[in-house]
Short mmCIF file of all heavy atoms in Angstrom, two decimals:
data_model
loop_
_atom_site.label_atom_id
_atom_site.label_comp_id
_atom_site.label_asym_id
_atom_site.label_seq_id
_atom_site.Cartn_x
_atom_site.Cartn_y
_atom_site.Cartn_z
N ASP P 171 7.14 14.67 1.81
CA ASP P 171 7.60 13.42 1.49
C ASP P 171 6.95 12.42 2.31
O ASP P 171 7.32 12.25 3.47
CB ASP P 171 9.17 13.29 1.53
CG ASP P 171 9.72 11.95 1.11
OD1 ASP P 171 9.00 11.22 0.50
OD2 ASP P 171 10.98 11.85 1.02
N GLU P 172 6.06 11.68 1.85
CA GLU P 172 5.23 10.67 2.60
C GLU P 172 4.75 11.17 3.99
O GLU P 172 5.03 10.53 4.99
CB GLU P 172 5.97 9.47 2.72
CG GLU P 172 6.20 8.63 1.53
CD GLU P 172 5.01 7.81 1.06
OE1 GLU P 172 3.89 7.99 1.57
OE2 GLU P 172 5.05 7.26 -0.04
N PRO P 173 4.08 12.20 4.07
CA PRO P 173 3.73 12.81 5.38
C PRO P 173 2.71 11.80 6.15
O PRO P 173 2.65 11.89 7.38
CB PRO P 173 3.01 14.32 5.03
CG PRO P 173 2.43 13.95 3.67
CD PRO P 173 3.51 13.02 2.95
N THR P 174 1.91 10.92 5.30
CA THR P 174 0.97 10.24 6.05
C THR P 174 1.60 8.99 6.82
O THR P 174 0.95 8.33 7.58
CB THR P 174 -0.12 9.70 5.15
OG1 THR P 174 0.55 8.84 4.11
CG2 THR P 174 -0.77 10.81 4.43
N ASN P 175 2.92 8.73 6.61
CA ASN P 175 3.58 7.61 7.28
C ASN P 175 3.66 7.86 8.84
O ASN P 175 3.72 6.82 9.50
CB ASN P 175 5.02 7.41 6.75
CG ASN P 175 5.04 6.57 5.50
OD1 ASN P 175 4.03 6.24 4.96
ND2 ASN P 175 6.29 6.42 4.97
N TYR P 176 3.62 9.05 9.28
CA TYR P 176 3.63 9.30 10.69
C TYR P 176 2.27 9.86 11.17
O TYR P 176 2.16 10.56 12.25
CB TYR P 176 4.80 10.10 11.23
CG TYR P 176 5.12 11.26 10.32
CD1 TYR P 176 4.52 12.44 10.39
CD2 TYR P 176 6.12 11.22 9.33
CE1 TYR P 176 4.86 13.57 9.66
CE2 TYR P 176 6.52 12.16 8.48
CZ TYR P 176 5.93 13.38 8.67
OH TYR P 176 6.23 14.44 7.86
N LEU P 177 1.18 9.81 10.25
CA LEU P 177 -0.02 10.25 10.71
C LEU P 177 -0.96 9.01 10.82
O LEU P 177 -0.84 7.97 10.21
CB LEU P 177 -0.73 11.13 9.73
CG LEU P 177 0.05 12.45 9.47
CD1 LEU P 177 -0.76 13.33 8.29
CD2 LEU P 177 0.13 13.25 10.64
N ASP P 178 -2.04 9.11 11.75
CA ASP P 178 -3.09 8.18 11.76
C ASP P 178 -4.17 8.50 10.72
O ASP P 178 -3.96 9.53 9.92
CB ASP P 178 -3.71 8.06 13.22
CG ASP P 178 -4.22 9.47 13.72
OD1 ASP P 178 -4.43 10.39 12.84
OD2 ASP P 178 -4.28 9.61 14.99
N LEU P 179 -5.22 7.78 10.52
CA LEU P 179 -6.23 7.92 9.58
C LEU P 179 -7.03 9.38 9.81
O LEU P 179 -7.18 10.02 8.75
CB LEU P 179 -7.27 6.90 9.60
CG LEU P 179 -8.52 7.10 8.72
CD1 LEU P 179 -8.04 7.01 7.25
CD2 LEU P 179 -9.68 6.10 8.95
N GLU P 180 -7.06 9.73 11.01
CA GLU P 180 -7.79 11.05 11.24
C GLU P 180 -6.95 12.15 10.88
O GLU P 180 -7.32 13.08 10.37
CB GLU P 180 -8.11 11.11 12.82
CG GLU P 180 -9.13 10.23 13.37
CD GLU P 180 -8.72 8.74 13.35
OE1 GLU P 180 -7.48 8.46 13.20
OE2 GLU P 180 -9.62 7.81 13.34
N GLY P 181 -5.55 12.05 11.11
CA GLY P 181 -4.57 13.11 10.73
C GLY P 181 -4.45 13.10 9.20
O GLY P 181 -4.40 14.15 8.53
N THR P 182 -4.55 11.98 8.58
CA THR P 182 -4.52 12.01 7.03
C THR P 182 -5.79 12.60 6.48
O THR P 182 -5.53 13.32 5.57
CB THR P 182 -4.34 10.48 6.66
OG1 THR P 182 -3.14 9.76 7.12
CG2 THR P 182 -4.40 10.32 5.16
N LEU P 183 -6.80 12.28 7.00
CA LEU P 183 -8.07 12.97 6.47
C LEU P 183 -8.03 14.53 6.69
O LEU P 183 -8.51 15.25 5.71
CB LEU P 183 -9.30 12.30 7.16
CG LEU P 183 -9.57 10.97 6.81
CD1 LEU P 183 -10.85 10.51 7.71
CD2 LEU P 183 -9.91 10.61 5.38
N TRP P 184 -7.53 14.93 7.79
CA TRP P 184 -7.44 16.38 8.05
C TRP P 184 -6.47 16.90 6.99
O TRP P 184 -6.75 17.98 6.40
CB TRP P 184 -6.99 16.62 9.39
CG TRP P 184 -6.75 18.03 9.71
CD1 TRP P 184 -7.71 19.12 10.04
CD2 TRP P 184 -5.56 18.75 9.44
NE1 TRP P 184 -7.23 20.26 10.07
CE2 TRP P 184 -5.78 20.22 9.72
CE3 TRP P 184 -4.21 18.52 9.15
CZ2 TRP P 184 -4.87 21.21 9.75
CZ3 TRP P 184 -3.27 19.40 8.99
CH2 TRP P 184 -3.54 20.78 9.27
N LEU P 185 -5.25 16.37 6.82
CA LEU P 185 -4.21 16.83 6.01
C LEU P 185 -4.86 16.91 4.41
O LEU P 185 -4.65 17.87 3.67
CB LEU P 185 -3.10 15.94 5.99
CG LEU P 185 -1.81 16.42 5.03
CD1 LEU P 185 -1.26 17.86 5.31
CD2 LEU P 185 -0.74 15.45 4.86
N GLN P 186 -5.55 15.85 4.00
CA GLN P 186 -6.20 15.83 2.66
C GLN P 186 -7.10 17.08 2.52
O GLN P 186 -7.06 17.81 1.58
CB GLN P 186 -6.96 14.51 2.58
CG GLN P 186 -7.72 14.51 1.24
CD GLN P 186 -8.68 13.19 1.34
OE1 GLN P 186 -8.11 12.17 1.49
NE2 GLN P 186 -10.02 13.36 1.32
N SER P 187 -7.90 17.43 3.51
CA SER P 187 -8.75 18.51 3.44
C SER P 187 -8.05 19.86 3.45
O SER P 187 -8.27 20.75 2.70
CB SER P 187 -9.88 18.54 4.52
OG SER P 187 -10.64 19.63 4.56
N TYR P 188 -7.03 19.93 4.38
CA TYR P 188 -6.17 21.10 4.37
C TYR P 188 -5.40 21.43 3.03
O TYR P 188 -5.41 22.51 2.53
CB TYR P 188 -5.15 20.94 5.49
CG TYR P 188 -4.29 22.16 5.64
CD1 TYR P 188 -4.71 23.23 6.51
CD2 TYR P 188 -2.96 22.25 5.01
CE1 TYR P 188 -3.93 24.37 6.65
CE2 TYR P 188 -2.22 23.47 5.26
CZ TYR P 188 -2.70 24.51 5.99
OH TYR P 188 -1.90 25.58 6.09
N LEU P 189 -4.86 20.42 2.50
CA LEU P 189 -4.16 20.68 1.23
C LEU P 189 -5.06 21.05 0.04
O LEU P 189 -4.55 21.86 -0.81
CB LEU P 189 -3.37 19.33 0.73
CG LEU P 189 -2.16 18.92 1.69
CD1 LEU P 189 -1.60 17.65 1.15
CD2 LEU P 189 -1.13 20.15 1.77
N ALA P 190 -6.21 20.54 0.10
CA ALA P 190 -7.14 20.93 -1.02
C ALA P 190 -7.53 22.40 -1.02
O ALA P 190 -7.79 23.10 -2.14
CB ALA P 190 -8.46 20.17 -0.84
N SER P 191 -7.33 23.06 0.08
CA SER P 191 -7.58 24.54 0.14
C SER P 191 -6.27 25.35 0.37
O SER P 191 -6.39 26.59 0.60
CB SER P 191 -8.49 24.81 1.21
OG SER P 191 -8.09 24.41 2.54
N TYR P 192 -5.16 24.75 0.27
CA TYR P 192 -3.89 25.40 0.57
C TYR P 192 -3.66 26.39 -0.71
O TYR P 192 -3.91 26.04 -1.82
CB TYR P 192 -2.69 24.44 0.38
CG TYR P 192 -1.23 25.14 0.96
CD1 TYR P 192 -1.10 25.36 2.25
CD2 TYR P 192 -0.26 25.21 -0.02
CE1 TYR P 192 0.16 25.82 2.70
CE2 TYR P 192 0.91 25.75 0.40
CZ TYR P 192 1.05 26.01 1.63
OH TYR P 192 2.21 26.69 1.99
N PRO P 193 -3.25 27.68 -0.40
CA PRO P 193 -3.21 28.72 -1.33
C PRO P 193 -2.12 28.71 -2.38
O PRO P 193 -2.03 29.41 -3.26
CB PRO P 193 -3.37 29.96 -0.50
CG PRO P 193 -2.64 29.58 0.65
CD PRO P 193 -3.07 28.17 0.98
#
Side-chain angles (χ1 to χ4, degrees):
D171 190 358
E172 289 288 2
T174 60
N175 275 1
Y176 41 84
L177 297 179
D178 50 25
L179 175 65
E180 290 70 16
T182 299
L183 292 174
W184 176 87
L185 180 64
Q186 174 184 301
S187 179
Y188 182 85
L189 291 180
S191 58
Y192 189 73

